[in-house]
Amino acid sequence: MPHDQVSNRVREKRNNLGLTQDQLAKLVGISRVSIVAIETGRFQPTIETALRLSQALETGLDDLFQLRGEKK
């Protein structure tokens, strides 16, 4: 089930760093399938995983995940 209230920029940030889904998954300690589910919005990560993603993607958590309709 999609999480309509939260959007993310995981794919964009991953691509900007030239990482594959598999490489990012290994950096974060989760499966590639989980990365796919997060990128497509089918799964929301735990706060621990979200923090690990932000570290691996060299960006702030608030830059990676946003509430839909939230103004920057």
Side-chain angles (χ1 to χ4, degrees):
M1 169 192 260
H3 295 269
D4 296 333
Q5 300 303 312
V6 179
S7 63
N8 74 73
R9 298 173 63 198
V10 173
R11 178 178 289 137
E12 173 189 344
K13 297 291 187 175
R14 176 180 60 75
N15 285 334
N16 288 346
L17 291 174
L19 295 171
T20 66
Q21 291 173 331
D22 191 53
Q23 289 169 324
L24 179 58
K26 287 177 182 169
L27 286 172
V28 176
I30 61 177
S31 69
R32 186 191 63 78
V33 173
S34 293
I35 295 293
V36 171
I38 292 167
E39 287 184 352
T40 59
R42 289 182 290 132
F43 176 75
Q44 293 301 314
T46 64
I47 189 66
E48 179 181 355
T49 299
L51 288 167
R52 290 182 190 279
L53 281 165
S54 72
Q55 286 178 336
L57 295 170
E58 303 172 3
T59 192
L61 193 58
D62 61 333
D63 190 41
L64 201 55
F65 295 93
Q66 304 84 33
L67 291 173
R68 292 202 189 275
E70 185 178 87
K71 303 277 187 219
K72 281 246 157 199

